Amino acid sequence: MSTTPGHHAPSPTGAPGGREWLTDCHCAEPVLHLLTEEGWSIVTDAGTNIHCTSPDGAVYVGFLPETMEAALYDTLWLVSVEDPHTGGRWTQKFTAGTPAQAVAGFVTALIATPTRACPVCR
């Protein structure tokens, strides 16, 4: 079977090269394990939502299955970053369909970036 450049023949697992892409982990454990290892504060509220705060207080990660936002807007994960020096802030939301390992990868990238300064924007 020939393929066009950039396209791969179908594999038995449905992914190029036999890779199995993340599609089905929707528990909080991969993210909680990462944040526990990094020394984050983790609190579970009465509604079983989980709230995590970075040691410096600048980053919030919420696993929010029992919130109105989850019900209305399909937001299971909320990541929020605020720069205490500039007041700059941004938020990223992930739906219930986003695998927890993907959220953990996103948070890992945040943790691995030691400075807020972009080398291009300086």
Side-chain angles (χ1 to χ4, degrees):
M1 172 181 191
S2 70
T3 59
T4 58
H7 296 288
H8 302 280
S11 72
T13 62
R19 179 182 173 108
E20 295 183 31
W21 294 100
L22 300 174
T23 58
D24 60 359
C25 177
H26 307 294
C27 73
E29 190 55 36
V31 177
L32 296 179
H33 177 74
L34 165 69
L35 298 181
T36 298
E37 292 291 313
E38 293 292 329
W40 288 43
S41 169
I42 300 174
V43 176
T44 303
D45 66 22
T48 70
N49 300 299
I50 302 171
H51 308 276
C52 311
T53 307
S54 63
D56 66 359
V59 183
Y60 167 82
V61 175
F63 179 72
L64 309 169
E66 303 300 326
T67 62
M68 186 64 76
E69 187 166 345
L72 293 176
Y73 304 111
D74 190 25
T75 300
L76 182 60
W77 291 95
L78 177 68
V79 179
S80 178
V81 177
E82 184 169 353
D83 184 329
H85 305 291
T86 66
R89 179 183 174 111
W90 60 268
T91 300
Q92 176 63 51
K93 299 174 184 181
F94 296 94
T95 68
T98 305
Q101 298 99 319
V103 177
F106 181 84
V107 173
T108 296
L110 288 177
I111 292 169
T113 306
T115 179
R116 68 181 176 88
C118 170
V120 177
C121 297
R122 285 188 196 167

mmCIF file of all heavy atoms in Angstrom, residues 49 63-77 94-96:
data_model
loop_
_atom_site.group_PDB
_atom_site.id
_atom_site.type_symbol
_atom_site.label_atom_id
_atom_site.label_comp_id
_atom_site.label_asym_id
_atom_site.label_seq_id
_atom_site.Cartn_x
_atom_site.Cartn_y
_atom_site.Cartn_z
ATOM 1 N N ASN A 49 -14.266 18.202 44.553
ATOM 2 C CA ASN A 49 -13.384 18.933 43.656
ATOM 3 C C ASN A 49 -12.018 19.005 44.321
ATOM 4 O O ASN A 49 -11.914 19.027 45.546
ATOM 5 C CB ASN A 49 -13.914 20.351 43.424
ATOM 6 C CG ASN A 49 -15.293 20.323 42.799
ATOM 7 O OD1 ASN A 49 -15.474 19.811 41.703
ATOM 8 N ND2 ASN A 49 -16.269 20.851 43.519
ATOM 9 N N PHE A 63 -9.242 20.290 39.624
ATOM 10 C CA PHE A 63 -9.987 19.156 39.067
ATOM 11 C C PHE A 63 -11.393 19.358 39.590
ATOM 12 O O PHE A 63 -11.649 19.213 40.785
ATOM 13 C CB PHE A 63 -9.381 17.841 39.553
ATOM 14 C CG PHE A 63 -10.103 16.619 39.059
ATOM 15 C CD1 PHE A 63 -10.021 16.232 37.726
ATOM 16 C CD2 PHE A 63 -10.846 15.832 39.928
ATOM 17 C CE1 PHE A 63 -10.672 15.088 37.272
ATOM 18 C CE2 PHE A 63 -11.492 14.696 39.479
ATOM 19 C CZ PHE A 63 -11.411 14.322 38.152
ATOM 20 N N LEU A 64 -12.321 19.747 38.703
ATOM 21 C CA LEU A 64 -13.592 20.322 39.140
ATOM 22 C C LEU A 64 -14.818 19.587 38.604
ATOM 23 O O LEU A 64 -15.686 20.188 37.966
ATOM 24 C CB LEU A 64 -13.627 21.792 38.708
ATOM 25 C CG LEU A 64 -12.389 22.600 39.112
ATOM 26 C CD1 LEU A 64 -12.371 23.946 38.427
ATOM 27 C CD2 LEU A 64 -12.303 22.735 40.622
ATOM 28 N N PRO A 65 -14.953 18.288 38.891
ATOM 29 C CA PRO A 65 -16.080 17.547 38.324
ATOM 30 C C PRO A 65 -17.437 17.939 38.884
ATOM 31 O O PRO A 65 -18.466 17.704 38.251
ATOM 32 C CB PRO A 65 -15.751 16.091 38.668
ATOM 33 C CG PRO A 65 -14.902 16.179 39.889
ATOM 34 C CD PRO A 65 -14.096 17.445 39.710
ATOM 35 N N GLU A 66 -17.469 18.538 40.057
ATOM 36 C CA GLU A 66 -18.742 18.837 40.705
ATOM 37 C C GLU A 66 -19.074 20.318 40.718
ATOM 38 O O GLU A 66 -19.768 20.795 41.600
ATOM 39 C CB GLU A 66 -18.722 18.290 42.143
ATOM 40 C CG GLU A 66 -18.451 16.807 42.239
ATOM 41 C CD GLU A 66 -19.496 15.963 41.513
ATOM 42 O OE1 GLU A 66 -20.677 16.350 41.482
ATOM 43 O OE2 GLU A 66 -19.121 14.910 40.981
ATOM 44 N N THR A 67 -18.589 21.064 39.734
ATOM 45 C CA THR A 67 -18.877 22.498 39.685
ATOM 46 C C THR A 67 -19.909 22.802 38.602
ATOM 47 O O THR A 67 -20.119 22.017 37.678
ATOM 48 C CB THR A 67 -17.608 23.314 39.388
ATOM 49 O OG1 THR A 67 -17.111 22.933 38.100
ATOM 50 C CG2 THR A 67 -16.549 23.104 40.456
ATOM 51 N N MET A 68 -20.512 23.956 38.701
ATOM 52 C CA MET A 68 -21.474 24.403 37.698
ATOM 53 C C MET A 68 -20.776 24.577 36.346
ATOM 54 O O MET A 68 -21.333 24.276 35.306
ATOM 55 C CB MET A 68 -22.120 25.715 38.136
ATOM 56 C CG MET A 68 -23.227 26.151 37.199
ATOM 57 S SD MET A 68 -24.634 25.020 37.164
ATOM 58 C CE MET A 68 -25.410 25.429 38.707
ATOM 59 N N GLU A 69 -19.534 25.076 36.360
ATOM 60 C CA GLU A 69 -18.793 25.265 35.117
ATOM 61 C C GLU A 69 -18.564 23.930 34.403
ATOM 62 O O GLU A 69 -18.666 23.851 33.183
ATOM 63 C CB GLU A 69 -17.455 25.953 35.379
ATOM 64 C CG GLU A 69 -16.750 26.316 34.094
ATOM 65 C CD GLU A 69 -15.600 27.281 34.294
ATOM 66 O OE1 GLU A 69 -15.481 27.912 35.352
ATOM 67 O OE2 GLU A 69 -14.827 27.404 33.346
ATOM 68 N N ALA A 70 -18.304 22.888 35.168
ATOM 69 C CA ALA A 70 -18.131 21.564 34.564
ATOM 70 C C ALA A 70 -19.426 21.112 33.905
ATOM 71 O O ALA A 70 -19.424 20.579 32.796
ATOM 72 C CB ALA A 70 -17.684 20.545 35.620
ATOM 73 N N ALA A 71 -20.519 21.341 34.582
ATOM 74 C CA ALA A 71 -21.813 20.920 34.051
ATOM 75 C C ALA A 71 -22.234 21.740 32.828
ATOM 76 O O ALA A 71 -22.709 21.183 31.840
ATOM 77 C CB ALA A 71 -22.874 21.020 35.140
ATOM 78 N N LEU A 72 -22.047 23.042 32.888
ATOM 79 C CA LEU A 72 -22.506 23.907 31.807
ATOM 80 C C LEU A 72 -21.548 23.992 30.627
ATOM 81 O O LEU A 72 -21.973 24.067 29.478
ATOM 82 C CB LEU A 72 -22.751 25.322 32.337
ATOM 83 C CG LEU A 72 -23.898 25.489 33.308
ATOM 84 C CD1 LEU A 72 -23.946 26.926 33.818
ATOM 85 C CD2 LEU A 72 -25.223 25.110 32.658
ATOM 86 N N TYR A 73 -20.234 23.987 30.906
ATOM 87 C CA TYR A 73 -19.255 24.259 29.857
ATOM 88 C C TYR A 73 -18.276 23.125 29.611
ATOM 89 O O TYR A 73 -17.296 23.301 28.895
ATOM 90 C CB TYR A 73 -18.486 25.538 30.200
ATOM 91 C CG TYR A 73 -19.384 26.709 30.417
ATOM 92 C CD1 TYR A 73 -19.538 27.264 31.676
ATOM 93 C CD2 TYR A 73 -20.119 27.260 29.363
ATOM 94 C CE1 TYR A 73 -20.377 28.348 31.885
ATOM 95 C CE2 TYR A 73 -20.964 28.329 29.567
ATOM 96 C CZ TYR A 73 -21.085 28.872 30.819
ATOM 97 O OH TYR A 73 -21.923 29.933 31.026
ATOM 98 N N ASP A 74 -18.530 21.963 30.199
ATOM 99 C CA ASP A 74 -17.652 20.802 30.034
ATOM 100 C C ASP A 74 -16.209 21.145 30.378
ATOM 101 O O ASP A 74 -15.283 20.848 29.638
ATOM 102 C CB ASP A 74 -17.756 20.249 28.605
ATOM 103 C CG ASP A 74 -17.059 18.899 28.454
ATOM 104 O OD1 ASP A 74 -16.922 18.176 29.462
ATOM 105 O OD2 ASP A 74 -16.639 18.574 27.325
ATOM 106 N N THR A 75 -16.009 21.796 31.516
ATOM 107 C CA THR A 75 -14.669 22.111 32.000
ATOM 108 C C THR A 75 -14.377 21.237 33.207
ATOM 109 O O THR A 75 -14.948 21.435 34.275
ATOM 110 C CB THR A 75 -14.559 23.601 32.398
ATOM 111 O OG1 THR A 75 -14.833 24.394 31.246
ATOM 112 C CG2 THR A 75 -13.180 23.923 32.927
ATOM 113 N N LEU A 76 -13.489 20.258 33.009
ATOM 114 C CA LEU A 76 -13.120 19.383 34.117
ATOM 115 C C LEU A 76 -11.863 19.885 34.814
ATOM 116 O O LEU A 76 -11.733 19.789 36.017
ATOM 117 C CB LEU A 76 -12.897 17.956 33.608
ATOM 118 C CG LEU A 76 -12.543 16.911 34.656
ATOM 119 C CD1 LEU A 76 -13.647 16.800 35.706
ATOM 120 C CD2 LEU A 76 -12.292 15.569 34.009
ATOM 121 N N TRP A 77 -10.933 20.415 34.030
ATOM 122 C CA TRP A 77 -9.660 20.913 34.559
ATOM 123 C C TRP A 77 -9.543 22.409 34.298
ATOM 124 O O TRP A 77 -9.862 22.876 33.219
ATOM 125 C CB TRP A 77 -8.488 20.225 33.865
ATOM 126 C CG TRP A 77 -8.340 18.788 34.184
ATOM 127 C CD1 TRP A 77 -8.831 17.732 33.453
ATOM 128 C CD2 TRP A 77 -7.657 18.225 35.288
ATOM 129 N NE1 TRP A 77 -8.484 16.559 34.053
ATOM 130 C CE2 TRP A 77 -7.761 16.821 35.176
ATOM 131 C CE3 TRP A 77 -6.961 18.766 36.368
ATOM 132 C CZ2 TRP A 77 -7.193 15.954 36.105
ATOM 133 C CZ3 TRP A 77 -6.396 17.907 37.294
ATOM 134 C CH2 TRP A 77 -6.514 16.518 37.156
ATOM 135 N N PHE A 94 -9.605 22.543 30.313
ATOM 136 C CA PHE A 94 -9.604 21.261 29.631
ATOM 137 C C PHE A 94 -10.945 20.580 29.859
ATOM 138 O O PHE A 94 -11.451 20.562 30.990
ATOM 139 C CB PHE A 94 -8.488 20.357 30.152
ATOM 140 C CG PHE A 94 -7.104 20.893 29.875
ATOM 141 C CD1 PHE A 94 -6.447 21.656 30.825
ATOM 142 C CD2 PHE A 94 -6.478 20.643 28.667
ATOM 143 C CE1 PHE A 94 -5.177 22.147 30.588
ATOM 144 C CE2 PHE A 94 -5.208 21.133 28.411
ATOM 145 C CZ PHE A 94 -4.556 21.889 29.375
ATOM 146 N N THR A 95 -11.502 20.008 28.811
ATOM 147 C CA THR A 95 -12.795 19.335 28.907
ATOM 148 C C THR A 95 -12.667 17.977 29.586
ATOM 149 O O THR A 95 -11.569 17.449 29.763
ATOM 150 C CB THR A 95 -13.409 19.121 27.516
ATOM 151 O OG1 THR A 95 -12.601 18.173 26.811
ATOM 152 C CG2 THR A 95 -13.514 20.417 26.748
ATOM 153 N N ALA A 96 -13.808 17.388 29.898
ATOM 154 C CA ALA A 96 -13.840 16.054 30.500
ATOM 155 C C ALA A 96 -13.237 15.012 29.568
ATOM 156 O O ALA A 96 -12.775 13.973 30.020
ATOM 157 C CB ALA A 96 -15.270 15.680 30.864
#
